[in-house]
Amino acid sequence: MRDMSKIYLSYDPEQKLLLPPDLREWVPEDHLALFISDVVDELDLSGIVRSYESGDGRGRPPYHPVMMVKLLVYGYCIGRMSSRKIERATYEDVAFRVLACNQHPDHDSIAGFRKRHLQELAGLFVQVLKMCERAGLVKLGKVAIDGSKLRANASKRKAMSYDRMCEKERQLVAEVARLMREAEQTDAAEDGRYGKGVRGDELPAELARRESRLGKIREAKAALEAEAKEKAREEAAAAEARLAERKQREEETGKKARGRAPQVPNVEEAQPKPKAQRNFTDPESRIMKDGATGSFEQSYNAQIAVDGTAQIIIAATLTQEVNDKQQLIPVLEKVQVNVGRLPEKVIADAGYFSAAAVTSEALGTVDLYVTPDRGKKTEQVEVLSTGSPPESELDQDVTARMREKLKTESGRAVYKQRKMIVEPVFGQIKEVRGFRRFSFRGLEKNTAEWSLICLTHNLLKLFRGKCCLLPA
């Protein structure tokens, strides 16, 4: 019989390893997993590690926090955010197995670690951003801002409008009263049959369920009413400021200002709009329209500021606001906190335009390119009807000057770069990595997860740019 060993390389699935293997040799030297491992080794994880130092030493020791951070960061980089998928990958995926050093943390441990240290993980965003800056990937010459809707961890079917809450509250109050009467009649009949002394303090299941629903509806109603009053207070303050400005202008010019004077709303009489909704699963999420699909979903509005040099995210925020009108200043303030200075030029679409924002003293050093016009003609910056005229002559003047600025050849050239800088980043996050829905509930936790998503985006840019800042 022919000796097959002379034809093929040796293959013996049952061959035992004679020496402990170097796990890093299981993947190529330029593999993303090894890059992530080296980067995490250079990050300051003291906030996470310190939390384990106060333990009493009893029980099974936890998995090493550095390993857990590497697994989570790598998982988010490649779009594998589920703790169950990460656990399975430590058995089936060589890269995960290398990062875990042949250990296999269960999904409860992974999920618990992420939940416990979510804020610390989000705080790594600035450390990674500093790495990108040292690598020359952040210049702050041109920065584009944009927002996109990301689904909340809640179904819109678990939301209810204010008028529906009022109707349902009346219905449930009547049902609870009926069930209470029936319970009293039953108690009286049983007392007559069995005598007193038998326990009857347990609520019937049907009554308990209705009382629980009634409590949740009343809680949601109270929250909507509080939000309506808070919004009315903000609108009243803004209206009073416009009235003062109007009065001062009349005194300076000696002429009565044109247009109707702003109306100051009555805060105490403020009520939620009948269609105002609140979700019972994640009350802090909001019904928002997805610009791509046109559908309405329970969502959050994710904001990013992206540097034009290499599409590095330099600021990431999350808001409950349906539109972007009030987000220009907060996002740029976040940029200043993260990087220490404001960009030279900032580009944003019509959703961010307001006279107050583009004339704010806080942005006085920034060259802003924020179109006031919506629609397909935005790129040509032609005068379009916005549907609602500016509230004052000052607003009209600000809008006109921005239009003129964007009509110039240089203005058109700068604004045209907005789509090339920021929109591909959302495409990479949502389409390539598959992140379209948050894992947590509540604005604070989802803001932290959004920072984690954005820091892994920056890590991928750093890796693909072959910029290694780690010591040899």
Side-chain angles (χ1 to χ4, degrees), residues 127-330:
Q127 293 190 49
V128 173
L129 179 58
K130 294 297 183 184
M131 284 186 173
C132 295
E133 190 175 13
R134 291 199 303 271
L137 301 182
V138 175
K139 301 292 188 182
L140 292 186
K142 295 187 184 73
V143 168
I145 297 175
D146 202 4
S148 184
K149 308 303 189 293
L150 291 169
R151 291 176 61 189
N153 189 1
S155 169
K156 64 181 178 182
R157 293 179 178 82
K158 295 295 182 181
M160 187 178 289
S161 63
Y162 183 74
D163 58 350
R164 177 64 176 156
M165 286 180 192
C166 295
E167 177 188 342
K168 198 66 177 176
E169 181 184 24
R170 290 190 294 269
Q171 179 184 340
L172 287 173
V173 166
E175 288 185 8
V176 168
R178 176 181 61 81
L179 288 169
M180 289 294 289
R181 288 194 301 270
E182 290 179 359
E184 290 173 0
Q185 293 171 1
T186 301
D187 285 345
E190 290 179 349
D191 284 346
R193 182 179 304 173
Y194 304 112
K196 293 186 178 293
V198 178
R199 280 192 64 192
D201 57 347
E202 299 89 349
L203 282 173
E206 189 178 12
L207 178 58
R209 185 172 64 86
R210 279 167 170 74
E211 284 196 334
S212 175
R213 291 177 63 195
L214 182 58
K216 289 182 179 179
I217 288 174
R218 283 176 170 168
E219 182 182 344
K221 270 187 63 186
L224 284 176
E225 289 163 358
E227 288 177 4
K229 282 184 168 53
E230 180 61 29
K231 184 177 181 181
R233 274 191 286 270
E234 293 174 358
E235 291 176 350
E240 288 169 356
R242 291 197 298 272
L243 282 172
E245 177 191 339
R246 180 187 179 96
K247 182 178 179 181
Q248 181 181 359
R249 192 163 58 250
E250 288 176 342
E251 291 174 353
E252 291 174 353
T253 61
K255 298 179 182 179
K256 186 176 180 180
R258 293 184 297 176
R260 187 171 59 181
Q263 300 296 311
V264 181
N266 188 322
V267 176
E268 296 306 318
E269 295 180 359
Q271 286 290 321
K273 295 180 180 180
K275 297 302 180 184
Q277 291 193 343
R278 190 168 180 85
N279 190 276
F280 295 108
T281 305
D282 184 355
E284 296 183 20
S285 63
R286 298 290 182 267
I287 289 283
M288 299 183 185
K289 184 178 181 180
D290 189 308
T293 64
S295 62
F296 289 86
E297 302 288 349
Q298 282 304 132
S299 304
Y300 287 92
N301 189 355
Q303 301 285 316
I304 52 174
V306 180
D307 187 88
T309 305
Q311 292 181 328
I312 297 295
I313 299 174
I314 57 176
T317 63
L318 197 69
T319 177
Q320 301 162 297
E321 298 295 327
V322 174
N323 58 52
D324 304 325
K325 196 174 185 66
Q326 305 298 325
Q327 302 310 312
L328 183 66
I329 295 175

Side-chain angles (χ1 to χ4, degrees), residues 335-381:
V335 171
Q336 188 162 27
V337 169
N338 292 343
V339 190
R341 63 190 190 280
L342 288 171
E344 296 175 14
K345 293 182 173 64
V346 170
I347 316 164
D349 63 22
Y352 291 87
F353 183 86
S354 71
V358 299
T359 57
S360 170
E361 292 182 2
L363 307 181
T365 62
V366 181
D367 189 9
L368 294 170
Y369 295 81
V370 186
T371 178
D373 301 314
R374 296 181 179 273
K376 294 181 178 179
K377 295 183 179 179
T378 299
E379 259 52 49
Q380 286 76 37
V381 200

